[in-house]
Amino acid sequence: MPLSEQEQRLLDEMERHLMRNDADVVSAPRDGRTLSYRNIVYGTILVLLGLGGLIVGVSQQLIVVGVIGFVVMLGGVLLAVTPGRGPGKMRVESDRPASKPQNSSSFMDRMNDRWDKRQEER
């Protein structure tokens, strides 16, 4: 069911407002952790192999083969959705900078403070 003209205008207005006011949230980097095409390909291959093993196990009434096929499928899905390390060298615990001490304020308090600062800038 298509949107009415008023609903479409409202949706467009909301989108413009979001892009104008929260552009830093929309375009924020995800800490260099994006899905890796290599992981997706390997995961897909594992899912297909596991599915084949599951079908063989069920058709031949070999429970062990079916269970192994299912586990391989599950591993393939987990591999496919696991984010990559991003460009650059592999991360080592000693490469990480010292973490900043946590503020005593809650997440919502910090978000409210940011909102107030933005409103004052206008």
Side-chain angles (χ1 to χ4, degrees):
M1 182 168 91
L3 296 174
S4 70
E5 188 176 320
Q6 180 183 4
E7 291 170 333
Q8 186 64 42
R9 268 187 284 137
L10 182 61
L11 184 63
D12 290 340
E13 182 181 332
M14 289 170 55
E15 183 179 358
R16 281 192 305 272
H17 180 72
L18 176 67
M19 294 302 278
R20 185 175 9 137
N21 293 332
D22 295 333
D24 59 332
V25 174
V26 173
S27 65
R30 293 189 291 173
D31 195 25
R33 297 178 54 92
T34 59
L35 291 179
S36 165
Y37 290 115
R38 184 180 352 178
N39 285 357
I40 293 172
V41 170
Y42 290 157
T44 304
I45 292 170
L46 281 176
V47 166
L48 293 175
L49 288 174
L51 181 63
L54 182 64
I55 291 172
V56 167
V58 169
S59 66
Q60 298 296 320
Q61 296 180 353
L62 298 171
I63 295 174
V64 174
V65 174
V67 169
I68 291 172
F70 178 77
V71 170
V72 169
M73 283 175 50
L74 183 63
V77 169
L78 291 176
L79 178 64
V81 299
T82 301
R85 293 203 179 266
K89 62 182 180 179
M90 293 182 65
R91 295 182 183 154
V92 180
E93 192 65 34
S94 62
D95 290 344
R96 242 184 228 167
S99 61
K100 294 186 276 186
Q102 292 290 330
N103 284 343
S104 61
S105 61
S106 70
F107 174 76
M108 289 305 295
D109 290 338
R110 291 190 308 262
M111 291 296 109
N112 286 333
D113 291 341
R114 284 182 66 190
W115 177 261
D116 292 339
K117 285 178 186 177
R118 282 198 180 163
Q119 295 303 319
E120 289 173 2
E121 290 174 1
R122 290 182 177 204

PDB file of all heavy atoms in Angstrom, residues 46-60 62-70 72-73:
ATOM      1  N   LEU A  46      30.867 -22.713   3.744  1.00  0.00           N
ATOM      2  CA  LEU A  46      30.641 -23.610   4.884  1.00  0.00           C
ATOM      3  C   LEU A  46      29.162 -23.928   5.068  1.00  0.00           C
ATOM      4  O   LEU A  46      28.803 -25.070   5.385  1.00  0.00           O
ATOM      5  CB  LEU A  46      31.209 -22.998   6.164  1.00  0.00           C
ATOM      6  CG  LEU A  46      32.713 -23.122   6.363  1.00  0.00           C
ATOM      7  CD1 LEU A  46      33.141 -22.391   7.632  1.00  0.00           C
ATOM      8  CD2 LEU A  46      33.137 -24.571   6.430  1.00  0.00           C
ATOM      9  N   VAL A  47      28.298 -22.941   4.875  1.00  0.00           N
ATOM     10  CA  VAL A  47      26.856 -23.178   5.000  1.00  0.00           C
ATOM     11  C   VAL A  47      26.405 -24.191   3.952  1.00  0.00           C
ATOM     12  O   VAL A  47      25.644 -25.118   4.249  1.00  0.00           O
ATOM     13  CB  VAL A  47      26.066 -21.860   4.892  1.00  0.00           C
ATOM     14  CG1 VAL A  47      24.595 -22.122   4.686  1.00  0.00           C
ATOM     15  CG2 VAL A  47      26.274 -21.015   6.136  1.00  0.00           C
ATOM     16  N   LEU A  48      26.886 -24.026   2.717  1.00  0.00           N
ATOM     17  CA  LEU A  48      26.495 -24.961   1.660  1.00  0.00           C
ATOM     18  C   LEU A  48      27.030 -26.367   1.931  1.00  0.00           C
ATOM     19  O   LEU A  48      26.316 -27.363   1.718  1.00  0.00           O
ATOM     20  CB  LEU A  48      26.971 -24.449   0.304  1.00  0.00           C
ATOM     21  CG  LEU A  48      26.281 -23.167  -0.183  1.00  0.00           C
ATOM     22  CD1 LEU A  48      26.918 -22.685  -1.478  1.00  0.00           C
ATOM     23  CD2 LEU A  48      24.793 -23.396  -0.349  1.00  0.00           C
ATOM     24  N   LEU A  49      28.271 -26.470   2.394  1.00  0.00           N
ATOM     25  CA  LEU A  49      28.821 -27.787   2.742  1.00  0.00           C
ATOM     26  C   LEU A  49      28.050 -28.413   3.902  1.00  0.00           C
ATOM     27  O   LEU A  49      27.745 -29.616   3.891  1.00  0.00           O
ATOM     28  CB  LEU A  49      30.302 -27.667   3.100  1.00  0.00           C
ATOM     29  CG  LEU A  49      31.259 -27.392   1.946  1.00  0.00           C
ATOM     30  CD1 LEU A  49      32.668 -27.147   2.479  1.00  0.00           C
ATOM     31  CD2 LEU A  49      31.252 -28.540   0.957  1.00  0.00           C
ATOM     32  N   GLY A  50      27.739 -27.610   4.895  1.00  0.00           N
ATOM     33  CA  GLY A  50      26.969 -28.108   6.029  1.00  0.00           C
ATOM     34  C   GLY A  50      25.574 -28.541   5.627  1.00  0.00           C
ATOM     35  O   GLY A  50      25.055 -29.555   6.114  1.00  0.00           O
ATOM     36  N   LEU A  51      24.948 -27.787   4.730  1.00  0.00           N
ATOM     37  CA  LEU A  51      23.623 -28.161   4.244  1.00  0.00           C
ATOM     38  C   LEU A  51      23.682 -29.484   3.496  1.00  0.00           C
ATOM     39  O   LEU A  51      22.807 -30.344   3.670  1.00  0.00           O
ATOM     40  CB  LEU A  51      23.067 -27.055   3.338  1.00  0.00           C
ATOM     41  CG  LEU A  51      21.675 -27.280   2.776  1.00  0.00           C
ATOM     42  CD1 LEU A  51      20.658 -27.357   3.912  1.00  0.00           C
ATOM     43  CD2 LEU A  51      21.316 -26.169   1.813  1.00  0.00           C
ATOM     44  N   GLY A  52      24.730 -29.638   2.686  1.00  0.00           N
ATOM     45  CA  GLY A  52      24.915 -30.918   1.995  1.00  0.00           C
ATOM     46  C   GLY A  52      25.092 -32.060   2.986  1.00  0.00           C
ATOM     47  O   GLY A  52      24.499 -33.136   2.825  1.00  0.00           O
ATOM     48  N   GLY A  53      25.893 -31.851   4.004  1.00  0.00           N
ATOM     49  CA  GLY A  53      26.088 -32.872   5.028  1.00  0.00           C
ATOM     50  C   GLY A  53      24.799 -33.180   5.779  1.00  0.00           C
ATOM     51  O   GLY A  53      24.501 -34.338   6.089  1.00  0.00           O
ATOM     52  N   LEU A  54      24.015 -32.164   6.046  1.00  0.00           N
ATOM     53  CA  LEU A  54      22.737 -32.359   6.735  1.00  0.00           C
ATOM     54  C   LEU A  54      21.777 -33.175   5.870  1.00  0.00           C
ATOM     55  O   LEU A  54      21.120 -34.101   6.366  1.00  0.00           O
ATOM     56  CB  LEU A  54      22.129 -31.004   7.078  1.00  0.00           C
ATOM     57  CG  LEU A  54      20.822 -31.018   7.850  1.00  0.00           C
ATOM     58  CD1 LEU A  54      21.026 -31.627   9.225  1.00  0.00           C
ATOM     59  CD2 LEU A  54      20.263 -29.621   7.973  1.00  0.00           C
ATOM     60  N   ILE A  55      21.720 -32.853   4.593  1.00  0.00           N
ATOM     61  CA  ILE A  55      20.831 -33.599   3.693  1.00  0.00           C
ATOM     62  C   ILE A  55      21.278 -35.044   3.567  1.00  0.00           C
ATOM     63  O   ILE A  55      20.455 -35.971   3.610  1.00  0.00           O
ATOM     64  CB  ILE A  55      20.765 -32.893   2.317  1.00  0.00           C
ATOM     65  CG1 ILE A  55      20.020 -31.576   2.464  1.00  0.00           C
ATOM     66  CG2 ILE A  55      20.104 -33.786   1.271  1.00  0.00           C
ATOM     67  CD1 ILE A  55      20.052 -30.704   1.232  1.00  0.00           C
ATOM     68  N   VAL A  56      22.580 -35.268   3.432  1.00  0.00           N
ATOM     69  CA  VAL A  56      23.088 -36.639   3.346  1.00  0.00           C
ATOM     70  C   VAL A  56      22.797 -37.386   4.643  1.00  0.00           C
ATOM     71  O   VAL A  56      22.363 -38.541   4.628  1.00  0.00           O
ATOM     72  CB  VAL A  56      24.606 -36.647   3.036  1.00  0.00           C
ATOM     73  CG1 VAL A  56      25.216 -38.012   3.252  1.00  0.00           C
ATOM     74  CG2 VAL A  56      24.852 -36.167   1.615  1.00  0.00           C
ATOM     75  N   GLY A  57      23.002 -36.721   5.756  1.00  0.00           N
ATOM     76  CA  GLY A  57      22.754 -37.369   7.042  1.00  0.00           C
ATOM     77  C   GLY A  57      21.299 -37.753   7.227  1.00  0.00           C
ATOM     78  O   GLY A  57      20.989 -38.827   7.732  1.00  0.00           O
ATOM     79  N   VAL A  58      20.393 -36.892   6.812  1.00  0.00           N
ATOM     80  CA  VAL A  58      18.968 -37.193   6.957  1.00  0.00           C
ATOM     81  C   VAL A  58      18.548 -38.276   5.970  1.00  0.00           C
ATOM     82  O   VAL A  58      17.811 -39.207   6.328  1.00  0.00           O
ATOM     83  CB  VAL A  58      18.124 -35.906   6.768  1.00  0.00           C
ATOM     84  CG1 VAL A  58      16.647 -36.233   6.650  1.00  0.00           C
ATOM     85  CG2 VAL A  58      18.363 -34.961   7.929  1.00  0.00           C
ATOM     86  N   SER A  59      19.020 -38.178   4.722  1.00  0.00           N
ATOM     87  CA  SER A  59      18.586 -39.142   3.715  1.00  0.00           C
ATOM     88  C   SER A  59      19.149 -40.540   3.982  1.00  0.00           C
ATOM     89  O   SER A  59      18.494 -41.541   3.684  1.00  0.00           O
ATOM     90  CB  SER A  59      18.977 -38.671   2.317  1.00  0.00           C
ATOM     91  OG  SER A  59      20.387 -38.659   2.189  1.00  0.00           O
ATOM     92  N   GLN A  60      20.331 -40.633   4.529  1.00  0.00           N
ATOM     93  CA  GLN A  60      20.946 -41.937   4.815  1.00  0.00           C
ATOM     94  C   GLN A  60      20.702 -42.373   6.263  1.00  0.00           C
ATOM     95  O   GLN A  60      21.205 -43.412   6.672  1.00  0.00           O
ATOM     96  CB  GLN A  60      22.458 -41.870   4.557  1.00  0.00           C
ATOM     97  CG  GLN A  60      22.829 -41.553   3.132  1.00  0.00           C
ATOM     98  CD  GLN A  60      22.387 -42.627   2.174  1.00  0.00           C
ATOM     99  OE1 GLN A  60      22.487 -43.812   2.476  1.00  0.00           O
ATOM    100  NE2 GLN A  60      21.867 -42.213   1.029  1.00  0.00           N
ATOM    101  N   LEU A  62      21.881 -41.151   8.980  1.00  0.00           N
ATOM    102  CA  LEU A  62      23.117 -41.103   9.753  1.00  0.00           C
ATOM    103  C   LEU A  62      23.058 -39.834  10.610  1.00  0.00           C
ATOM    104  O   LEU A  62      23.358 -38.727  10.156  1.00  0.00           O
ATOM    105  CB  LEU A  62      24.341 -41.066   8.838  1.00  0.00           C
ATOM    106  CG  LEU A  62      24.526 -42.287   7.930  1.00  0.00           C
ATOM    107  CD1 LEU A  62      25.643 -42.030   6.934  1.00  0.00           C
ATOM    108  CD2 LEU A  62      24.816 -43.509   8.772  1.00  0.00           C
ATOM    109  N   ILE A  63      22.655 -40.009  11.846  1.00  0.00           N
ATOM    110  CA  ILE A  63      22.436 -38.866  12.725  1.00  0.00           C
ATOM    111  C   ILE A  63      23.721 -38.067  12.940  1.00  0.00           C
ATOM    112  O   ILE A  63      23.701 -36.845  12.947  1.00  0.00           O
ATOM    113  CB  ILE A  63      21.846 -39.337  14.068  1.00  0.00           C
ATOM    114  CG1 ILE A  63      20.470 -39.929  13.822  1.00  0.00           C
ATOM    115  CG2 ILE A  63      21.773 -38.185  15.058  1.00  0.00           C
ATOM    116  CD1 ILE A  63      19.841 -40.556  15.037  1.00  0.00           C
ATOM    117  N   VAL A  64      24.839 -38.757  13.081  1.00  0.00           N
ATOM    118  CA  VAL A  64      26.103 -38.078  13.347  1.00  0.00           C
ATOM    119  C   VAL A  64      26.468 -37.158  12.188  1.00  0.00           C
ATOM    120  O   VAL A  64      26.893 -36.014  12.394  1.00  0.00           O
ATOM    121  CB  VAL A  64      27.224 -39.113  13.606  1.00  0.00           C
ATOM    122  CG1 VAL A  64      28.574 -38.445  13.732  1.00  0.00           C
ATOM    123  CG2 VAL A  64      26.914 -39.928  14.834  1.00  0.00           C
ATOM    124  N   VAL A  65      26.275 -37.634  10.955  1.00  0.00           N
ATOM    125  CA  VAL A  65      26.595 -36.811   9.784  1.00  0.00           C
ATOM    126  C   VAL A  65      25.670 -35.596   9.733  1.00  0.00           C
ATOM    127  O   VAL A  65      26.098 -34.479   9.426  1.00  0.00           O
ATOM    128  CB  VAL A  65      26.496 -37.654   8.492  1.00  0.00           C
ATOM    129  CG1 VAL A  65      26.691 -36.775   7.255  1.00  0.00           C
ATOM    130  CG2 VAL A  65      27.515 -38.778   8.503  1.00  0.00           C
ATOM    131  N   GLY A  66      24.399 -35.772  10.051  1.00  0.00           N
ATOM    132  CA  GLY A  66      23.452 -34.667  10.066  1.00  0.00           C
ATOM    133  C   GLY A  66      23.807 -33.632  11.110  1.00  0.00           C
ATOM    134  O   GLY A  66      23.730 -32.417  10.855  1.00  0.00           O
ATOM    135  N   VAL A  67      24.193 -34.090  12.287  1.00  0.00           N
ATOM    136  CA  VAL A  67      24.570 -33.159  13.356  1.00  0.00           C
ATOM    137  C   VAL A  67      25.841 -32.405  12.982  1.00  0.00           C
ATOM    138  O   VAL A  67      25.930 -31.183  13.181  1.00  0.00           O
ATOM    139  CB  VAL A  67      24.738 -33.915  14.697  1.00  0.00           C
ATOM    140  CG1 VAL A  67      25.373 -33.023  15.748  1.00  0.00           C
ATOM    141  CG2 VAL A  67      23.399 -34.436  15.171  1.00  0.00           C
ATOM    142  N   ILE A  68      26.813 -33.096  12.415  1.00  0.00           N
ATOM    143  CA  ILE A  68      28.045 -32.431  11.986  1.00  0.00           C
ATOM    144  C   ILE A  68      27.734 -31.411  10.895  1.00  0.00           C
ATOM    145  O   ILE A  68      28.265 -30.290  10.893  1.00  0.00           O
ATOM    146  CB  ILE A  68      29.091 -33.466  11.517  1.00  0.00           C
ATOM    147  CG1 ILE A  68      29.591 -34.275  12.714  1.00  0.00           C
ATOM    148  CG2 ILE A  68      30.251 -32.788  10.800  1.00  0.00           C
ATOM    149  CD1 ILE A  68      30.488 -35.442  12.347  1.00  0.00           C
ATOM    150  N   GLY A  69      26.858 -31.764   9.966  1.00  0.00           N
ATOM    151  CA  GLY A  69      26.456 -30.828   8.925  1.00  0.00           C
ATOM    152  C   GLY A  69      25.805 -29.589   9.509  1.00  0.00           C
ATOM    153  O   GLY A  69      26.066 -28.461   9.067  1.00  0.00           O
ATOM    154  N   PHE A  70      24.952 -29.793  10.509  1.00  0.00           N
ATOM    155  CA  PHE A  70      24.302 -28.646  11.157  1.00  0.00           C
ATOM    156  C   PHE A  70      25.331 -27.764  11.854  1.00  0.00           C
ATOM    157  O   PHE A  70      25.265 -26.535  11.773  1.00  0.00           O
ATOM    158  CB  PHE A  70      23.246 -29.126  12.150  1.00  0.00           C
ATOM    159  CG  PHE A  70      22.582 -28.009  12.876  1.00  0.00           C
ATOM    160  CD1 PHE A  70      21.603 -27.246  12.253  1.00  0.00           C
ATOM    161  CD2 PHE A  70      22.938 -27.691  14.180  1.00  0.00           C
ATOM    162  CE1 PHE A  70      20.997 -26.190  12.918  1.00  0.00           C
ATOM    163  CE2 PHE A  70      22.337 -26.649  14.846  1.00  0.00           C
ATOM    164  CZ  PHE A  70      21.357 -25.895  14.217  1.00  0.00           C
ATOM    165  N   VAL A  72      28.475 -27.422  11.097  1.00  0.00           N
ATOM    166  CA  VAL A  72      29.245 -26.730  10.065  1.00  0.00           C
ATOM    167  C   VAL A  72      28.436 -25.550   9.517  1.00  0.00           C
ATOM    168  O   VAL A  72      28.978 -24.461   9.284  1.00  0.00           O
ATOM    169  CB  VAL A  72      29.658 -27.710   8.947  1.00  0.00           C
ATOM    170  CG1 VAL A  72      30.221 -26.969   7.742  1.00  0.00           C
ATOM    171  CG2 VAL A  72      30.668 -28.713   9.466  1.00  0.00           C
ATOM    172  N   MET A  73      27.124 -25.761   9.311  1.00  0.00           N
ATOM    173  CA  MET A  73      26.270 -24.662   8.851  1.00  0.00           C
ATOM    174  C   MET A  73      26.270 -23.515   9.855  1.00  0.00           C
ATOM    175  O   MET A  73      26.382 -22.342   9.482  1.00  0.00           O
ATOM    176  CB  MET A  73      24.829 -25.148   8.657  1.00  0.00           C
ATOM    177  CG  MET A  73      24.599 -25.940   7.409  1.00  0.00           C
ATOM    178  SD  MET A  73      22.930 -26.597   7.305  1.00  0.00           S
ATOM    179  CE  MET A  73      21.923 -25.189   7.643  1.00  0.00           C
TER     180      MET A  73
END
